[in-house]
Amino acid sequence: MSDQTVTLTLREDEIQRLYNTWKEAEHPCSSPYIRFQLRPENAVITCYTSGKAVFQGKDADVYASPFIRVSEPAETSDFTSRFPQAGSDEVGTGDYFGPVCVCACKTEAQDIGFLQAAGVQDSKQITDETIRKIAPLLQERLIHSLLIVPPVKYNSIHHTYNMNAVKSLLHNQAYVNLAKKTKLPELLIIDQFTPERAYYKWLKQEQTVIRPIHFETKAENKFLSVAAASIIARNAFLQAMDEYESFYGMKLLKGAGTRVDDCAREFIRKYGKDRLKEVAKLHFKNTERL
Ligand code: MG
């Protein structure tokens, strides 16, 4: 299965979406029958003037999947399949290094086939590699708002707020921003991290508090909007980590275990203790252990 070919006939809007998503990987092509050719990682995508798109290479199916029309949606309960809906999730709160990223994302009934074909339903199972490929497609198609709080900012507010307070503020802010882009649906879902009452308690000082919100644990397995938000947030986190790693010229491990401590020690050796706040969330137990 190392090399595969998927041929699809695409509508004009799909061709546009395909092009917009991967235009940075465009490869010049002079054939009069070829409209454009894209060469993202592990694939060559050729779009012909006829409207046919040929996906070739190891990851051909990954790139093609969002454009394969699915006639039958997977089984979901009445409630989780209520659309439109918007969901939100956060990434990076369990990682010593890196930012906290929160995304709120709106999905409509006509997005279901696209999301399922892209493999969005079980976001926790998706590898980082696939996240990087799916997220740009989701960001292109779905109305969403994304907040990225870098460690420096996080460390400057954390002495006043605890982690649940920070999460509550960010989720609320993500919905406030989403409301500026689109009419918020009636069904809003947060992947629950704190009891509902505590959530609103942390928002007491806020000018705008978005409600009502449905809170549910493991919501990313049940609501496509939360799954999509989770993927977009995860991708933003991965991209930020890539940037830090190349800027500081060293690997920064995810999570908060003892191997992360070793990584932090290496950072201190290279850049000094004072600069740890640029890459790490200092209130974690890891800091004490160093
Ligand atoms: Mg979550």
Side-chain angles (χ1 to χ4, degrees):
M1 268 283 280
S2 72
D3 242 73
Q4 36 185 345
T5 301
V6 181
T7 304
L8 299 172
T9 303
L10 300 182
R11 294 189 312 258
E12 182 57 29
D13 64 305
E14 293 172 317
I15 292 170
Q16 284 302 329
R17 207 169 74 228
L18 174 65
Y19 181 76
N20 288 337
T21 307
W22 300 110
K23 62 185 171 210
E24 262 148 37
E26 182 165 17
H27 188 82
C29 234
S30 57
S31 160
Y33 303 106
I34 295 177
R35 196 162 152 185
F36 56 78
Q37 189 172 71
L38 307 167
R39 296 192 176 182
E41 203 192 349
N42 294 330
V44 175
I45 307 167
T46 309
C47 187
Y48 293 86
T49 48
S50 63
K52 266 203 175 34
V54 180
F55 299 74
Q56 287 167 298
K58 191 168 138 272
D59 286 336
D61 56 343
V62 178
Y63 293 96
S65 62
F67 301 98
I68 296 170
R69 287 176 207 116
V70 180
S71 48
E72 281 186 321
E75 259 190 42
T76 40
S77 74
D78 284 352
F79 183 60
T80 59
S81 61
R82 240 172 70 195
F83 288 90
Q85 57 175 246
S88 58
D89 200 4
E90 80 286 334
V91 173
T93 51
D95 300 276
Y96 184 53
F97 292 117
V100 173
C101 303
V102 176
C103 179
C105 186
K106 183 180 178 181
T107 53
E108 317 227 20
Q110 63 262 32
D111 299 320
I112 298 173
F114 160 78
L115 292 168
Q116 288 177 338
V120 165
Q121 49 268 54
D122 37 15
S123 58
K124 282 275 151 63
Q125 314 295 328
I126 303 177
T127 62
D128 287 351
E129 226 183 299
T130 308
I131 292 272
R132 292 175 193 275
K133 286 168 189 156
I134 297 178
L137 295 165
L138 303 183
Q139 285 179 263
E140 176 73 25
R141 169 153 177 159
L142 304 174
I143 301 173
H144 64 281
S145 78
L146 174 63
L147 297 168
I148 301 168
V149 183
V152 171
K153 178 89 199 283
Y154 181 87
N155 291 321
S156 73
I157 55 173
H158 195 272
H159 54 90
T160 35
Y161 298 119
N162 69 24
M163 183 64 96
N164 280 342
V166 172
K167 286 188 200 175
S168 303
L169 290 165
L170 290 173
H171 276 267
N172 184 61
Q173 191 59 47
Y175 283 113
V176 169
N177 295 353
L178 190 65
K180 288 176 189 157
K181 298 182 177 184
T182 183
K183 185 178 181 301
L184 285 186
E186 272 173 41
L187 178 58
L188 305 176
I189 311 115
I190 288 183
D191 181 35
Q192 185 159 22
F193 53 86
T194 191
E196 183 168 349
R197 273 185 51 211
Y199 175 83
Y200 289 115
K201 193 187 87 187
W202 297 120
L203 299 179
K204 257 194 203 143
Q205 312 288 325
E206 293 305 288
Q207 275 193 342
T208 312
V209 175
I210 305 291
R211 62 170 93 211
I213 287 182
H214 174 75
F215 294 86
E216 192 162 328
T217 54
K218 299 207 167 61
E220 77 279 357
N221 296 331
K222 301 166 196 160
F223 297 91
L224 282 170
S225 57
V226 180
S230 167
I231 289 169
I232 293 172
R234 175 108 206 129
N235 187 54
F237 179 81
L238 293 173
Q239 282 185 337
M241 290 292 269
D242 289 349
E243 282 164 24
Y244 296 170
E245 286 182 350
S246 76
F247 185 80
Y248 294 100
M250 60 176 286
K251 184 102 193 100
L252 296 172
L253 294 179
K254 301 181 182 86
T258 50
R259 286 181 60 224
V260 170
D261 294 351
D262 295 337
C263 209
R265 283 190 194 97
E266 191 195 330
F267 183 93
I268 292 171
R269 265 198 305 278
K270 279 180 116 166
Y271 296 102
K273 208 173 168 213
D274 285 350
R275 294 187 64 185
L276 194 58
K277 63 175 184 293
E278 296 171 18
V279 290
K281 300 173 202 87
L282 298 180
H283 78 96
F284 274 56
K285 290 251 167 12
N286 303 66
T287 309
E288 283 169 41
R289 293 203 295 262
L290 294 173

